[in-house]
Amino acid sequence: MATIFLSIGTNLGERRKNISKAIKLLKKSVGRCVKISDLYISKAWGFESENEFMNVAAEFETSLQPLELLKTTQQIEHLLGRIDKTQNVEYSDRIIDIDILFYNNQIIDLPHLTIPHPLLHKRNFVLIPLAEIAPELQHPVLNKSIKQLAKELQKSN
């Protein structure tokens, strides 16, 4: 079994319900949910929007391999109404977004999958909820704890 961490966010529709549905589907198709953070409200990141995001971080145990996990999270997004994944770093409002942050302590660099998530250390909406459930988790590339990364980002903002 692999320990994985996900970031789940939404800024359209009934946000709390969107996250709840995503977690329910993840439990069915990914594996056992170990921990879920409190809800975190944030402004849009990387684009302008009047709609605030609601985000959580979640820890799961899964038997899925990384590419199977990616395919599964994308299927869940599609089931919940997400049309397109972000293309060419053009962000937009979305009904649901599920990002794979960590897969065990593996470093994966494939054309459609990079783990750890390459931008997690620049995003408060990821680090704050993640620090709530896994403060001592070590980033295998940056060699810092999530708590450290969150503090550093807070200072720089």
Side-chain angles (χ1 to χ4, degrees):
M1 293 297 269
T3 298
I4 62 165
F5 290 89
L6 305 173
S7 176
I8 306 162
T10 174
N11 77 330
L12 293 176
E14 295 182 59
R15 298 173 305 166
R16 191 178 296 265
K17 225 179 234 183
N18 296 343
I19 287 176
S20 180
K21 285 179 185 177
I23 290 168
K24 186 184 248 182
L25 289 167
L26 287 163
K27 286 177 179 177
K28 251 186 210 178
S29 52
V30 168
R32 186 173 83 83
C33 184
V34 179
K35 289 182 195 166
I36 300 172
S37 72
D38 289 332
L39 295 167
Y40 179 76
I41 305 296
S42 66
K43 298 206 178 304
W45 188 93
F47 72 102
E48 295 294 320
S49 177
E50 294 177 8
N51 305 312
E52 289 186 318
F53 273 84
M54 184 175 282
N55 300 280
V56 297
E59 177 183 354
F60 281 82
E61 290 177 341
T62 189
S63 60
L64 298 176
Q65 293 301 306
L67 287 173
E68 291 175 299
L69 177 61
L70 176 64
K71 183 178 178 186
T72 301
T73 60
Q74 289 174 339
Q75 287 170 338
I76 291 169
E77 288 174 333
H78 184 73
L79 267 173
L80 293 177
R82 178 126 187 218
I83 310 299
D84 295 315
K85 274 301 260 186
T86 302
Q87 300 292 321
N88 304 321
V89 193
E90 290 185 29
Y91 298 107
S92 61
D93 292 318
R94 58 203 73 133
I95 194 134
I96 198 71
D97 187 34
I98 304 170
D99 287 334
I100 303 167
L101 304 175
F102 294 100
Y103 186 98
N104 286 333
N105 62 348
Q106 290 185 27
I107 299 168
I108 300 168
D109 191 9
L110 300 170
H112 300 292
L113 180 62
T114 304
I115 299 175
H117 191 287
L119 297 173
L120 76 88
H121 63 287
K122 296 180 179 185
R123 296 173 166 178
N124 276 323
F125 66 88
V126 172
L127 289 175
I128 293 171
L130 188 56
E132 178 189 324
I133 64 169
E136 302 307 322
L137 178 66
Q138 290 291 308
H139 192 296
V141 175
L142 301 175
N143 296 312
K144 294 180 179 180
S145 71
I146 296 305
K147 182 170 61 178
Q148 269 181 291
L149 292 171
K151 280 183 186 174
E152 288 174 8
L153 186 58
Q154 298 263 325
K155 283 181 189 174
S156 71
N157 286 341

